[in-house]
Amino acid sequence: MAADGFVIKAFDEVTSTNDVAAEYAARSAGQRLVITARRQTAGRGRRGRSWQSLDGNLFFSMLFEFPLKDLGVLIMAASLSLAEAVRSLVNTDDVRIKWPNDVLLNGAKVSGMLLEKSIGEYMIVGVGVNVAQSPKNADMLYPVTSLKEAGTDISPEDFLALYLRYFSINIALSADELRRQWVEQAKGIGQEIAVRQNGAEQRGIFAGIDENADLILRTGNKTQKILAGDVFYLGDENG
Ligand code: BTN
């Protein structure tokens, strides 16, 4: 099946769809693939964390050639598309992007994304969407939710098709336009946040993102760019 220029390869069970995408990248050049799986036995999250594969949720990885110098465009287009796809399905306005590329629905995480560089110019955009259920462990870093919990019933396949339509439109936008739309839909711009990275924490005002999608943090009259980390919203009881 082809969707918006991507050939979809659907599996029942894989370790991680990102791993399968990397194997395809090694085989031959010029492929534009989406790898999906009903189950992942070793799903990976950002910053070395694992990603649980709960039944009925969506797990997929897009594989295509994209210049690394334009990584910011990819991060913005991929996360903006997720937020737009979610927003088009739910009957609440409370859909926000959480830097760098999570989507929050009613203040809780509904999807996550793991971008990885593969061989040559291949990029892998791995996405997990809590379609049917959300993990309920007590040690979650953030509150989590699912589309189902927000009253939306959709199959993983239909959500993927919707997402690919938004992505094919957004990836063609300029970096400036993507940044404008991303900032408009992000949570916490102009507010105090903490960014945690490797045990260290920095606090400041979330001033926006630059063209590389790096976070701009303002502390007093000092501005710094943050390339990686976990954001917590201060003054938000859920963090
Ligand atoms: C995060 O929020 O930490 C990112 C989660 C990314 C999970 C997806 S599920 C499909 C793809 N395969 C993986 O192993 N990870 C990504």
Side-chain angles (χ1 to χ4, degrees):
M1 175 172 49
D4 294 291
F6 286 96
V7 173
I8 296 182
K9 304 233 178 246
F11 293 84
D12 260 346
E13 183 173 293
V14 299
T15 51
S16 151
T17 54
N18 273 32
D19 294 346
V20 175
E23 287 162 18
Y24 273 98
R27 279 189 224 163
S28 67
Q31 311 185 74
R32 287 172 66 80
L33 299 181
V34 177
I35 310 297
T36 68
R38 282 187 204 283
R39 278 181 305 282
Q40 297 186 118
T41 54
R44 293 185 281 115
R46 285 176 59 238
R47 313 189 53 68
R49 292 186 283 259
S50 61
W51 184 261
Q52 288 187 45
S53 296
L54 301 175
D55 281 353
N57 286 349
L58 171 62
F59 318 104
F60 71 93
S61 300
M62 300 188 288
L63 170 75
F64 51 97
E65 291 178 298
F66 199 81
L68 189 59
K69 69 174 177 48
D70 296 332
L71 181 61
V73 164
L74 188 54
I75 295 171
M76 292 186 284
S79 51
L80 184 65
S81 304
L82 262 181
E84 288 178 339
V86 170
R87 183 171 295 109
S88 74
L89 293 169
V90 296
N91 50 16
T92 167
D93 286 343
D94 195 0
V95 177
R96 315 297 298 172
I97 304 170
K98 178 170 191 277
W99 185 87
N101 45 32
D102 292 347
V103 174
L104 302 178
L105 169 59
N106 293 323
K109 177 162 168 165
V110 69
S111 69
M113 190 178 293
L114 178 65
L115 268 105
E116 294 181 317
K117 187 195 170 308
S118 192
I119 58 164
E121 290 227 300
Y122 272 117
M123 297 299 299
I124 296 170
V125 181
V127 179
V129 184
N130 296 336
V131 171
Q133 47 177 330
S134 58
K136 291 298 177 229
N137 327 4
D139 61 346
M140 297 303 291
L141 200 54
Y142 315 106
V144 289
T145 191
S146 64
L147 292 173
K148 177 98 176 178
E149 284 160 70
T152 295
D153 273 309
I154 187 166
S155 68
E157 293 77 14
D158 286 350
F159 187 94
L160 174 61
L162 184 66
Y163 176 78
L164 291 175
R165 284 203 292 278
Y166 280 105
F167 182 76
S168 67
I169 294 166
N170 288 326
I171 196 67
L173 297 177
S174 69
D176 281 350
E177 178 57 19
L178 280 169
R179 181 149 58 133
R180 192 189 66 72
Q181 292 191 29
W182 192 99
V183 164
E184 205 172 81
Q185 300 196 30
K187 173 166 173 157
I189 302 281
Q191 292 171 13
E192 197 181 8
I193 58 168
V195 189
R196 291 188 201 143
Q197 191 189 5
N198 306 328
E201 178 178 290
Q202 286 170 296
R203 290 182 174 215
I205 300 296
F206 182 10
I209 56 170
D210 69 8
E211 66 284 359
N212 300 315
D214 295 336
L215 186 150
I216 304 172
L217 190 71
R218 199 169 53 233
T219 316
N221 53 12
K222 200 181 109 207
T223 290
Q224 62 176 314
K225 293 191 175 174
I226 310 258
L227 278 59
D230 293 309
V231 167
F232 295 86
Y233 304 100
L234 303 176
D236 214 70
E237 62 192 46
N238 285 331

